[in-house]
Amino acid sequence: MTIANHLSELHGLPAVDFEIPAEGRSLPDAGAVAWRLRVDPYDDDQEVTWEELFDLFLATVDPAGVRALIIGQWGEATEHRSSYPIGLVTAAASRLTSLEAVFVGDLVLEEAEISWIEQSDVTALLDAFPGLVELGVRGGDGLVFPPVRHDTLRSLTIESGGLPVQVVRGVLDSELPALEKLDLWLGVSAYGGDTELTDLAPLLSGTRFLALHHLGLRNSEIQEEIAGAIASAPVVARLRTLDLSNGVLGDDGAAALLEGQPLTHLDTLDLHHHFLSEAMEQRLTAALEPHGVRLDLSDRNKPWNDGGRENRYTAVAE
């Protein structure tokens, strides 16, 4: 997934923009799609605020039937934090009784760089919706995730060009007994990504989130270190999919993966956007694909040269 395009689906439902209904035009059933609400603050013909659009949404679509909600652009990038739309959604929790999935911050490049998206305490959604099973977030600026207990959440995705370590610690200190999928974009230090390998120890030890079968530790400038730790991490034994994509993975990290514990039980190993040599790609393919592992080695990159020093880059930063 990149941030070049809006979400095409959420929770297995096709994403549909909610718009002020035109006369004679019917809308999908409330629970048949993932509803995206977004406004364009730069469109002179659109004078509605996100709050007004949300009120109209609740009055037009049966809120009790809504299963998935995508919070798109809620104003100018620096005008409001995500606490603005989150507060409106949580205030309507008694009406959104079937809500199972929420994504906060479905903004693409022409709307805002990922580092411009002003987030807030997204656990307010978990507190308000005890039946939520999927939560996605885009943007790390101002993001807060204190430790929380939630019994039904199965999927948590946080996309960031720089994920604050306090967010990572909050996630890993949370009690999420149903969590099956965890996807963290750790990012780079220049944009607030200050997570170190030691901060991931509780996760890699396998003592957290015992239902986990998909793990993504992605888009990281410490991707080599992560791969080295994954090579002996107890959590790997129960995974079906492992995603180390979008980062600065090179031959040393890939060699550590091959020389560590077996990965042949995986359904998928995603390493796309990497800095591997062709020879290392061939080693990975020969070692894993005969065992049925789906291996994604697309998007090979070359480091850029800075005064004689080679530099690798993550897929998403600013």
Side-chain angles (χ1 to χ4, degrees), residues 18-211:
F18 174 75
E19 298 175 344
I20 299 174
E23 185 176 353
R25 182 171 63 86
S26 61
L27 293 175
D29 290 339
V33 300
W35 295 98
R36 177 169 37 238
L37 275 71
R38 60 187 175 111
V39 298
D40 184 352
Y42 310 108
D43 184 352
D44 294 335
D45 295 328
Q46 181 178 337
E47 299 179 354
V48 66
T49 66
W50 202 93
E51 181 174 5
E52 291 167 338
L53 186 66
F54 184 60
D55 286 343
L56 182 61
F57 172 72
L58 294 177
T60 305
V61 175
D62 177 16
V66 174
R67 297 173 55 206
L69 184 65
I70 300 171
I71 299 175
Q73 189 168 26
W74 52 82
E76 292 190 33
T78 58
E79 183 179 4
H80 295 291
R81 291 200 174 274
S82 65
S83 53
Y84 163 53
I86 287 175
L88 296 170
V89 172
T90 56
S94 62
R95 302 175 66 185
L96 295 164
T97 52
S98 299
L99 194 63
E100 297 173 333
V102 180
F103 189 96
V104 185
D106 184 26
L107 280 72
V108 295
L109 290 174
E110 60 263 27
E111 295 170 323
E113 299 283 359
I114 195 170
S115 64
W116 299 355
I117 302 172
E118 299 201 12
Q119 287 291 350
S120 60
D121 185 350
V122 295
T123 63
L125 290 162
L126 297 176
D127 292 336
F129 296 99
L132 207 66
V133 299
E134 183 171 351
L135 177 62
V137 181
R138 179 174 294 163
D141 182 59
L143 183 62
V144 177
F145 200 108
V148 65
R149 169 84 192 196
H150 196 279
D151 290 331
T152 65
L153 191 70
R154 297 201 300 263
S155 175
L156 175 61
T157 298
I158 303 179
E159 303 173 3
S160 172
L163 193 59
V165 67
Q166 291 302 327
V167 172
V168 173
R169 290 171 180 168
V171 170
L172 300 190
D173 285 342
S174 293
E175 297 296 328
L176 305 171
L179 193 69
E180 299 174 352
K181 176 183 177 182
L182 178 63
D183 201 343
L184 302 176
W185 295 23
L186 299 174
V188 301
S189 57
Y191 289 97
D194 54 353
T195 299
E196 298 180 358
L197 191 61
T198 54
D199 299 305
L200 301 174
L203 174 63
L204 299 180
S205 72
T207 60
R208 309 296 298 151
F209 314 137
L210 300 184

Side-chain angles (χ1 to χ4, degrees), residues 267-280:
D267 293 333
T268 301
L269 175 61
D270 191 343
L271 303 179
H272 83 270
H273 182 95
H274 59 79
F275 295 82
L276 304 179
S277 65
E278 184 175 354
M280 181 55 71

